[in-house]
Amino acid sequence: MTAKRALPALTAVRESASRALGILLVVALSACSSQARATSPQEVRELAGSPGAQQSRKAAEDRMRGIVNAYAKDTPLTLGLVAIHDVCAGGKAKELFFQDGKDEYKIRCSLQITAYYGADANRVADVLNGILAAGDHYSSDEDPDPYATIPFHHQHGRSSLVDYYRGVGPNPNGPNTPEPTNMFAIGQNLSWDTVRSSQKKLISEPDPCLDNNPPVVRCLREPASKTVTDIRKQHGMVFKLELSAVLYYTVYKDGKTVPLK
């Protein structure tokens, strides 16, 4: 190849290399931008303690406590212990592969509450019937509060659960099946100790609070000294109400803020 022919080829190679280097620089600069970086622990703490986060946190907690208190007020259950787990997590750095959406926000906060109640083990049928009756009331209310209702009622075959515990009906789950100890609805799961089965299945203690660092992490037990075992000794058996975690505050990297709706 002559020098005249080689010169254009060399120029094209240099131009291609320059374009590639430019692309790499753009990518590198983009990776350093605020929208591509992982949220620092300091920024997570600042955002978690902001007025917007505090307001949404209180609104979410008030709603969930409303449900917990509805069971204590309107059913035969006696509230014994409330466990609260509140976490604000920072977003990840820009994910080029295996994206899970955690690189889209600066911070995302969620709240989960579990309540433990005591009940008379000799009156399980009456207790369940009382819970379903309260659910009947809420479902028939013309203007129910959607955040303080009991979704379990006598419809959908749940009356057979009461008959089973009264000893006048079969196991609603079918013959040769374990004792039913659970009712589920969207957003709520209610479970209880076995009382008729020879194979005991008891509600366990809540996980210990290993990290309580408000406002980033709140792990509370109310009252702090109460245990599930204490409730069982006092009342005879334990019911557990698990409320699904609620995302109550999100700040995206583009600046958009989504509070609790």
Side-chain angles (χ1 to χ4, degrees), residues 4 11 57 68-69 98 100-101 110 115 139 142 146 149 155 158 160 197 204 207 212 235 247:
K4 289 184 179 181
T11 301
R57 179 180 296 116
V68 170
N69 292 332
F98 308 109
D100 58 9
S110 64
S139 64
E142 294 181 358
T149 58
Q155 300 177 24
R158 291 196 177 103
S160 62
S197 175
S204 59
D207 293 334
N212 185 40
H235 297 278
L247 287 174

Side-chain angles (χ1 to χ4, degrees), residues 121-126 128 159-170 172 179-182 192-196 237:
N122 297 316
R123 299 180 59 249
V124 183
D126 292 336
L128 288 170
S159 293
S160 62
L161 186 65
V162 177
D163 292 339
Y164 167 79
Y165 276 103
R166 289 198 192 284
V168 297
E179 176 182 345
T181 56
N182 171 271
W192 54 89
D193 291 340
T194 55
V195 295
R196 294 190 58 179
M237 68 178 299

Side-chain angles (χ1 to χ4, degrees), residues 39 44 87-91 105-110 216:
T39 314
V44 171
V87 178
C88 290
Y105 57 83
K106 289 184 178 181
I107 187 174
R108 186 167 64 182
C109 301
S110 64
V216 178

Side-chain angles (χ1 to χ4, degrees), residues 182-198:
N182 171 271
M183 290 191 293
F184 174 80
I186 295 176
Q188 297 188 29
N189 186 56
L190 184 67
S191 54
W192 54 89
D193 291 340
T194 55
V195 295
R196 294 190 58 179
S197 175
S198 59

Side-chain angles (χ1 to χ4, degrees), residues 63-146:
R63 287 182 182 183
M64 299 176 84
R65 285 184 182 273
I67 297 172
V68 170
N69 292 332
Y71 279 86
K73 178 172 68 74
D74 298 326
T75 79
L77 298 175
T78 301
L79 182 60
L81 174 64
V82 176
I84 298 175
H85 193 218
D86 177 12
V87 178
C88 290
K92 293 182 177 180
K94 184 65 177 179
E95 297 174 314
L96 299 179
F97 307 101
F98 308 109
Q99 297 177 354
D100 58 9
K102 294 182 179 179
D103 62 345
E104 297 178 357
Y105 57 83
K106 289 184 178 181
I107 187 174
R108 186 167 64 182
C109 301
S110 64
L111 177 68
Q112 202 273 331
I113 292 182
T114 303
Y116 300 83
Y117 304 83
D120 187 342
N122 297 316
R123 299 180 59 249
V124 183
D126 292 336
V127 172
L128 288 170
N129 194 54
I131 294 170
L132 298 178
D136 292 340
H137 170 74
Y138 278 107
S139 64
S140 64
D141 194 328
E142 294 181 358
D143 186 25
D145 180 352

Side-chain angles (χ1 to χ4, degrees), residues 8-91:
L10 181 60
T11 301
V13 170
R14 288 176 177 174
E15 290 176 350
S16 297
S18 297
R19 285 195 297 269
L21 180 59
I23 292 172
L24 290 175
L25 287 174
V26 169
V27 172
L29 290 173
S30 175
C32 294
S33 69
S34 60
Q35 293 192 27
R37 289 185 290 104
T39 314
S40 68
Q42 180 180 354
E43 189 174 7
V44 171
R45 176 165 292 277
E46 290 175 353
L47 291 171
S50 67
Q54 293 182 46
Q55 183 177 359
S56 291
R57 179 180 296 116
K58 184 180 185 305
E61 189 167 330
D62 287 348
R63 287 182 182 183
M64 299 176 84
R65 285 184 182 273
I67 297 172
V68 170
N69 292 332
Y71 279 86
K73 178 172 68 74
D74 298 326
T75 79
L77 298 175
T78 301
L79 182 60
L81 174 64
V82 176
I84 298 175
H85 193 218
D86 177 12
V87 178
C88 290

